[in-house]
Amino acid sequence: MTLPARQIIPELFEVEKLAQDFKGLVHLEKLSEVSARGYTMPLHGLRIGTEDKTKPTLALFGGVHGLERVGTHVLVSFLQHILYRLSWDKELQELFQHCRIVSIPIINPLGMAFNKRSNANGVDLMRNSPVEAEKGGKTIALVSGQTISPRIPWFRGNPNQPEIETQTVVDFCQRELFESEQVISLDFHSGFGLRDRLWYPWAKSPKPFPHETDILRLKNLFDKTYPYHVYIIEHQADSYMTHGDLWDHIYQKYTEKNKNGVYLPLTLEMGSWLWVRKNPLQAFSATGYFNPVKKHRYSRVMRRHLNLIEFLLRANLNNQAWLKT
Ligand SMILES: [Zn+2]
């Protein structure tokens, strides 16, 4: 017997519930669907704020890797928070007339349903774009993306024929981000290291990406606004380089389309090794490496990133305060 989709992914129910609970404040749309083993699941896109796509846009993405459920949880709990505040906070309503949030909270619902990092075809969606890593940097065998077998993690699939999930994200970004000259995206992951890291491009190269000056200005603003923040903010290739990174790919497409625009794609990699070290039994469960299990730790993780996301929203809107003139 197959369980209903929303029973094996309660996260899907939580996303759909946002649209029911906050009618008129959030717009939910089914962008595409994916099927395997008798399940068909939607990829939902959300929009909050002005419908003017030229306005500053913050884009939030989660659930690329099906095991890393906590990323979707942090994202959805932020949306719940901001939508609830929008229902009573007049200043915030005013703010959202000048900016917008768009989101795909669960990019890989089948991976989440089947407790897999990859999608149902065994493809790692963060290695599936046509971008190749440059020679000479810090690539790690297999981990940086492999074309040997879908049975081994980090399988790239066919980057010239992207998976439905990859194509859905690319199409969504093209439609929702590319008309704006001021875009920040944040993609939520968990699993690498002891500390929470904020990565900026490239994943494909140790060289600076064209908007590195802007990202360093944003970092400086964040460091001064939140002097005790917890993040290591670094060029992704400082940790390791990958082939087929989705954000390198979308960033390149954006800069071709919007020459005057500023797009800063960020990846939040929540360091989960600390959760495992403090609670070693977690290592024995399939998702334990990637998600906090104990209740107090879970609550702490839900609270921990709210300031960061709200900072990005406000800094994106008030870009004259930090962008070079
Ligand atoms: Zn991940």
Side-chain angles (χ1 to χ4, degrees):
M1 192 189 84
T2 48
L3 286 166
R6 280 149 197 81
Q7 209 163 320
I8 51 171
I9 326 186
E11 290 83 355
L12 191 54
F13 176 74
E14 293 295 326
V15 170
E16 290 168 347
K17 197 166 172 296
L18 288 173
Q20 289 161 16
D21 291 352
F22 301 101
K23 271 200 186 78
L25 294 175
V26 58
H27 183 272
L28 179 140
E29 161 194 21
K30 187 171 96 174
L31 303 168
S32 62
E33 58 184 30
V34 282
S35 303
R37 299 190 219 165
Y39 288 104
T40 297
M41 297 203 179
L43 271 75
H44 287 315
L46 301 169
R47 302 198 302 272
I48 299 169
T50 176
E51 288 289 318
D52 181 350
K53 292 180 185 174
T54 66
K55 294 287 186 189
T57 302
L58 176 69
L60 304 173
F61 298 96
V64 170
H65 293 135
L67 284 171
E68 300 165 15
R69 303 178 99 114
V70 67
T72 294
H73 296 195
V74 171
L75 197 173
V76 170
S77 79
F78 172 77
L79 293 179
Q80 277 162 347
H81 158 80
I82 210 83
L83 285 165
Y84 192 73
R85 259 181 61 197
L86 260 179
S87 70
W88 59 266
D89 181 340
K90 293 227 172 346
E91 273 72 37
L92 196 66
Q93 291 165 7
E94 160 68 18
L95 182 123
F96 270 97
Q97 289 178 15
H98 308 286
C99 67
R100 56 208 300 265
I101 291 178
V102 299
S103 176
I104 305 180
I106 311 174
I107 290 174
N108 179 13
L110 289 171
M112 205 174 270
F114 304 145
N115 276 328
K116 284 161 64 115
R117 173 184 170 90
S118 68
N119 74 354
N121 299 328
V123 175
D124 186 331
L125 299 171
M126 212 23 86
R127 308 284 186 275
N128 185 228
S129 90
V131 177
E132 295 291 323
E134 290 172 10
K135 300 244 179 319
K138 213 178 353 176
T139 49
I140 305 172
L142 301 180
V143 175
S144 290
Q146 53 88 11
T147 49
I148 304 161
S149 164
R151 294 177 187 283
I152 308 171
W154 312 291
F155 181 58
R156 294 193 60 195
N158 181 353
N160 298 314
Q161 268 185 315
E163 298 295 300
I164 292 173
E165 298 90 337
T166 306
Q167 194 60 51
T168 301
V169 177
V170 172
D171 292 346
F172 182 77
C173 288
Q174 262 171 341
R175 196 186 73 188
E176 299 295 336
L177 308 184
F178 285 20
E179 286 174 39
S180 171
E181 293 198 350
Q182 183 62 45
V183 181
I184 296 178
S185 66
L186 183 61
D187 180 20
F188 294 77
H189 290 254
S190 59
F192 177 85
L194 289 167
R195 297 276 307 273
D196 292 338
R197 289 180 147 77
L198 268 175
W199 280 333
Y200 57 85
W202 304 107
K204 65 162 188 171
S205 168
K207 293 184 196 128
F209 87 120
H211 286 111
E212 185 163 290
T213 312
D214 300 318
I215 209 112
L216 295 176
R217 283 166 186 265
L218 181 67
K219 176 184 181 304
N220 182 47
L221 187 75
F222 187 54
D223 289 344
K224 291 199 168 123
T225 309
Y226 290 102
Y228 302 105
H229 75 73
V230 295
Y231 306 95
I232 297 174
I233 303 174
E234 64 181 10
H235 185 154
Q236 183 171 345
D238 289 351
S239 281
Y240 60 93
M241 284 171 37
T242 58
H243 301 286
D245 183 88
L246 188 52
W247 302 114
D248 282 3
H249 178 57
I250 291 171
Y251 172 80
Q252 282 174 336
K253 286 178 97 66
Y254 174 90
T255 49
E256 283 161 21
K257 171 88 198 316
N258 199 333
K259 300 238 175 328
N260 298 320
V262 175
Y263 172 31
L264 308 177
L266 297 170
T267 297
L268 171 60
E269 187 76 30
M270 288 176 260
S272 71
W273 298 353
L274 194 65
W275 309 329
V276 179
R277 195 172 67 181
K278 287 193 174 161
N279 185 21
L281 285 175
Q282 257 182 257
F284 293 105
S285 81
T287 56
Y289 262 119
F290 303 97
N291 304 283
V293 172
K294 294 211 164 157
K295 196 160 181 263
H296 67 277
R297 198 159 296 130
Y298 181 84
S299 308
R300 205 178 298 150
V301 172
M302 290 307 110
R303 283 195 300 271
R304 189 176 174 93
H305 305 288
L306 292 177
N307 283 344
L308 167 71
I309 310 168
E310 188 160 344
F311 167 83
L312 293 176
L313 177 72
R314 287 176 179 272
N316 201 39
L317 179 58
N318 294 286
N319 52 70
Q320 71 288 347
W322 54 279
L323 274 182
K324 63 172 180 266
T325 44

